[in-house]
Amino acid sequence: MRATIYGGPGDITVGERPDPRLQHQTDAIVRVTLGCVCGSDLWYYRGVNPHALGPIGHEFIGIVEQTGAEVSTVRPGDLVVAPFTFCDGTCANCAAGWTGNCLNGGSFGNHGVDGGQGEYVRVPFADATLFAVPGRDHSDAVMKSLVALSDVMCTGHHAAVSAAVKPGDTVAVVGDGAVGLCAVIAAKRLGAERIIALSRNPARQALAEQFGATDIVSERGDDATKVIMDMTAGVGVDAALECVGTGQSMATAFGVARVGSIVGSVGVPHDAVVPIQTVIFRNIGLRGGVAPARRYIPDLLDDVVTGRINPGLVFDHETSLDGIHDAYTAMLERRATKSLVRISG
Amino acid sequence: MRATIYGGPGDITVGERPDPRLQHQTDAIVRVTLGCVCGSDLWYYRGVNPHALGPIGHEFIGIVEQTGAEVSTVRPGDLVVAPFTFCDGTCANCAAGWTGNCLNGGSFGNHGVDGGQGEYVRVPFADATLFAVPGRDHSDAVMKSLVALSDVMCTGHHAAVSAAVKPGDTVAVVGDGAVGLCAVIAAKRLGAERIIALSRNPARQALAEQFGATDIVSERGDDATKVIMDMTAGVGVDAALECVGTGQSMATAFGVARVGSIVGSVGVPHDAVVPIQTVIFRNIGLRGGVAPARRYIPDLLDDVVTGRINPGLVFDHETSLDGIHDAYTAMLERRATKSLVRISG
């Protein structure tokens, strides 16, 4: 099969990989229809975070081609969403709902598991991992939103759930990448009344507003904190969603969070420091991390299939598998918020 | 009146202070019966944290002597518990229940407000701050537990509430000071089934067990983490209560917390670093801080008055007001877990 190969920093190509075969009776083989590029893939591309040489990509949807004898919840022909991590569904963490922290799981495109930026993927623990979407004849817009469920929409949702967003809340979303934009959707969906999106990019500002942002703040750092504190009568927001993972984004999130609230953080941390004095002296909590996407997909699916939420709109660039290098560089050069990769029909 | 005076690092004496008078119609004057020394007072004594020169002490109970015209919930003759912070009860933070973060409040023994280690205290916002205890003829044991409600019992409770301790949980308590011991009480009271107390002091180990600890771990640092992970089948505890505030205690709490759990932290931070990678890649949250004692006192009072919980047992050293310097040094030299100061009958 043809698949994207990570050859080291800056080296993303399409090459040949062995066709995946069932290795365990709990495996399924999925033909990937749509994949995409994640912000975390860019960290690998830039050589900041390590990644094994070989297959890459962890967000995809596709059609089940083959299943092992012990697979019962999905069957050949099913349209499935793969969460970005596979999980056994039975370990202590999975049993507690933390499917992204499965003791026997891992991430696609890592540790010898096929990546989602290729034609086929062997999916371990298919019953626990894959989620079969009712029907196959969804619009292209819905299909894109289903890919978003693989990671970014669930990750944005995790930020909002971690920060305990509730009806009527004022929420600040720090970060206007795909995850931040999905966090706006999530906050709106959970009933937030006022959603303050931090962005200085006109296209992303517009999408944030389309997703439910009521206010846009284009300042950064201390200036952003000051503006948002002024907007909230000096009290701060009921929930701050940190969707970047840098020192500045963490400082901004803690700077605008009201006493007693929780910062929901889902950015991959790079030089992020938790201001412990603020935690203790303002009673501001911190929750978040790797989203338990498999747990969230069923909760979010109906809203996606009916079009009540449209996270697929974060894809503003498309390539074929052959265009994968452009898919990466478009995001790196900020020509794209997030790149969709059309792999098979 | 006579009151304890902080004269700078190492300088704790009893001296003369002006008798407090009502300054606002919302004030009350309280005659202090029992006060005590807090672990945070030791940080001032040692010169590590700054404290204004003058009155000191923020934990006390006493009898109301006089009230301003606008005070309606307490009256002269009432036995009252003073939470360690005063609060107006009406600001945005108080309205949300965060009475320890009142926008117009502060701590006793600071910013020109009388300290609890003296004969009398002018209490600002008496209605919102003071809590009147039904009856006056409580046993000495109950009176000591009422003083503990002023801070340490509420602070230990805050660690447990912040970590979302629930019935059946396995809980680790990091720190065997008065707050850690009260956190054991709080965890037990909230239904924890297994409570692992970290302590290498035999007297504190015994008290932890009396309070409900089911297991004692005398190891520290990485060794403690390893022992507790082994005790929990490699999964970790459902809630970790961090009651010290140092780098090591924070590392231990995050090291033993299971995926998806929350570290409840109430130690005053000194070189404490939050392991952000653990937060994100293990989904371990952090909550806690300055306890909203005034909010918790009504919840805990009945258990104290009936003797179902006995946080007053943390007082293992007693002095008169004249013995205040010994009250401090006994704790500094670890002759005492916590020193009670008997001020008036």
Side-chain angles (χ1 to χ4, degrees), chain A residues 92-93 96 98 101 158 235 250 258-262 265-269 272 274 276-277 279-291, chain B residues 92-93 96 98 101 158 235 250 258-262 265-269 272 274 276-277 279-291:
Chain A
N93 292 345
W98 297 97
N101 296 95
H158 191 44
V235 171
M250 195 66 87
R258 70 178 288 164
V259 159
S261 70
I262 304 173
S265 178
V266 292
V268 179
V274 179
I276 181 70
Q277 303 288 332
V279 170
I280 297 297
F281 291 105
R282 289 179 58 81
N283 269 292
I284 296 174
L286 173 65
R287 296 200 76 183
V290 176
Chain B
N93 292 345
W98 296 99
N101 297 95
H158 191 45
V235 172
M250 195 67 85
R258 70 177 288 163
V259 159
S261 70
I262 305 172
S265 179
V266 293
V268 179
V274 179
I276 181 69
Q277 303 288 333
V279 170
I280 296 298
F281 291 105
R282 289 179 57 80
N283 268 294
I284 297 174
L286 174 66
R287 297 199 76 182
V290 176

Side-chain angles (χ1 to χ4, degrees), chain B residues 271-343:
Chain B
D271 303 319
V273 173
V274 179
I276 181 69
Q277 303 288 333
T278 306
V279 170
I280 296 298
F281 291 105
R282 289 179 57 80
N283 268 294
I284 297 174
L286 174 66
R287 297 199 76 182
V290 176
R294 181 58 181 81
R295 166 153 62 100
Y296 290 150
I297 290 170
D299 298 338
L300 299 170
L301 185 82
D302 196 49
D303 283 356
V304 162
V305 170
T306 57
R308 275 193 294 271
I309 63 174
N310 295 287
L313 292 175
V314 298
F315 294 109
D316 53 358
H317 189 78
E318 290 190 18
T319 71
S320 64
L321 185 51
D322 286 323
I324 189 70
H325 190 260
D326 174 55
Y328 275 66
T329 53
M331 287 170 67
L332 268 171
E333 295 162 4
R334 299 182 76 81
R335 286 182 282 122
T337 303
K338 193 168 175 73
S339 299
L340 185 77
V341 185
R342 293 191 185 273
I343 298 182

